[in-house]
Amino acid sequence: MQLGRFPRTRLAHGPTPLEPMERLGRELGGPRLWVKRDDCTGLGLGGNKTRKLEFLAAEALAQGADTLVTVGAVQSNHVRQTAAAAAQLGLACEAVLERRMRSPADVYARGGNVLLDRMFGATLHFVDAGTDPAAACDEVAAAIRRRGGRPCVIPTGGSTPVGALGYVQCAQEILTQATDLGFAVDAVVHASGSAGTQAGLVAGFEGLRSGVDVLGISVSRPRAALEPLVHALAERTAELLGVAGGIDSARVAVDSGYVGPGYGVPTQSMIDAVGLAATREGLLLDPVYSGKAMAGLIDLARNGKWPARANVVFVHTGGAPALFAYQSLFDGS
Ligand SMILES: *Cc1c(COP(=O)(O)O)cnc(C)c1O
């Protein structure tokens, strides 16, 4: 398994820190908690899409693209990081933003990530909920081609085998850092949406025969729908890497018990988890992804999922800019 064989454009500050969460761990009564700070990847306020974009942007540049086209929800962190990558690389960016949430708040439609998309110079196309993301991207790409441009479409979340290589690399980084810090990783927990982060982590940890358990906390789909998506993408990623033997589907685990009413819809356990991380660790989570993942980690830890001596790493996938689009949940108003 050699990542060095794949073209990569440096965009991230790395390695991102791996830090203990002692106060939170003590409060929960074990296991030993760590946080992998992928909210600190640097690009345009950071987050997990940056690692994927290092490989995806390299692919786009190799194809001679002059415009990155992508898609996400209105408050998409993926679109924000893609827009920042395009700005840094001298490319244009056009993004389709799906109004998936029925939020009347002006700040949801214009603040947080949307403000940053505009600051990075992206052209935004707002579409109604339920629009097919791939078809919408193809339409935008066709219009760019008619004008003589050379678009490269990056699908939802950058979750292709090439994008997932970013999280194969993260898995390697976590194991190296844990060795330096003097502990063995038992489990990794993170927010799972479009499957790329989890597929990359699974392919990476399995490719290295590390025995690390990966638990994706779903932010949208039910477990029965997300696990097969992750498994299929992990298989394709392992194949790209030349990892022999494929991926055992038993190594793909999703818990969809913390989604609540749906994607982006706040839950009380998310609000509590965001508050706890902020007040005990000075750590900013987000309302859509890492807050729900932390709600899952807290609940599972309290219910004894892991032994007290186990080392559990929470991969902080970023997203804090969306806090400013969900302000009324947190300011007591
Ligand atoms: C996109 C995103 C995720 C989910 O990553 P996937 O690879 O789509 O599963 C998690 N957290 C944050 C903050 C994100 O923006």
Side-chain angles (χ1 to χ4, degrees):
M1 193 173 102
Q2 280 213 57
L3 276 175
R5 280 195 274 121
F6 301 95
R8 181 174 169 194
T9 307
R10 296 290 165 155
L11 296 167
H13 297 175
T16 60
L18 178 61
E19 298 170 333
M21 292 196 287
E22 275 165 19
R23 294 193 70 220
L24 186 59
R26 223 176 297 133
E27 185 146 339
L28 301 181
R32 288 171 70 195
L33 294 184
W34 303 82
V35 57
K36 175 63 171 163
R37 296 294 305 272
D38 268 22
D39 56 321
C40 298
T41 53
L43 177 73
L45 292 184
N48 66 334
K49 304 312 180 306
T50 303
R51 285 186 196 269
K52 299 176 178 185
L53 285 163
E54 289 198 337
F55 293 94
L56 292 164
E59 199 180 35
L61 291 171
Q63 289 167 10
D66 63 8
T67 308
L68 300 181
V69 175
T70 198
V71 58
V74 170
Q75 284 294 331
S76 170
N77 302 297
H78 165 68
V79 167
R80 184 235 319 149
Q81 287 161 85
T82 304
Q88 186 175 331
L89 297 171
L91 304 172
C93 178
E94 296 205 21
V96 175
L97 296 183
E98 183 192 348
R99 293 192 188 92
R100 267 203 244 177
M101 293 274 303
R102 253 189 274 129
S103 173
D106 191 46
V107 69
Y108 184 84
R110 298 180 54 182
N113 283 306
V114 180
L115 169 69
L116 301 179
D117 296 342
R118 293 197 197 282
M119 291 184 69
F120 295 130
T123 301
L124 305 179
H125 306 269
F126 288 88
V127 299
D128 289 334
T131 303
D132 176 1
C137 282
D138 287 346
E139 233 175 84
V140 169
I144 293 169
R145 265 186 225 103
R146 281 196 297 275
R147 299 197 306 263
R150 296 184 305 279
C152 173
V153 173
I154 297 176
T156 306
S159 289
T160 65
V162 168
L165 293 176
Y167 274 83
V168 171
Q169 192 252 329
C170 183
Q172 290 183 338
E173 203 172 287
I174 289 170
L175 291 175
T176 304
Q177 288 174 312
T179 302
D180 289 347
L181 289 163
F183 74 94
V185 182
D186 294 293
V188 163
V189 178
H190 70 94
S192 196
S194 65
T197 300
Q198 190 169 0
L201 287 171
V202 169
F205 286 128
E206 290 302 292
L208 296 165
R209 308 282 181 248
S210 64
V212 173
D213 291 332
V214 178
L215 177 62
I217 306 290
S218 177
V219 299
S220 49
R221 293 180 177 85
R223 171 184 178 172
L226 185 52
E227 277 183 351
L229 278 184
V230 173
H231 182 246
L233 186 54
E235 289 268 21
R236 291 171 64 205
T237 308
E239 193 182 313
L240 182 66
L241 282 162
V243 170
I247 302 290
D248 182 353
S249 61
R251 301 301 298 157
V252 175
V254 167
D255 189 329
S256 53
Y258 306 93
V259 179
Y263 173 84
V265 183
T267 59
Q268 190 58 48
S269 67
M270 174 279 289
I271 294 171
D272 295 344
V274 170
L276 208 57
T279 55
R280 303 305 190 272
E281 297 288 345
L283 196 64
L284 291 175
L285 303 179
D286 82 281
V288 181
Y289 297 94
S290 54
K292 286 184 178 176
M294 182 60 87
L297 173 62
I298 289 170
D299 184 56
L300 294 167
R302 282 190 174 140
N303 286 292
K305 180 171 174 68
W306 300 282
R309 301 172 68 93
N311 287 290
V312 177
V313 176
F314 179 74
V315 179
H316 187 342
T317 45
L323 285 171
F324 302 100
Y326 283 79
Q327 192 171 327
S328 62
L329 285 181
F330 303 103
D331 67 2
S333 65

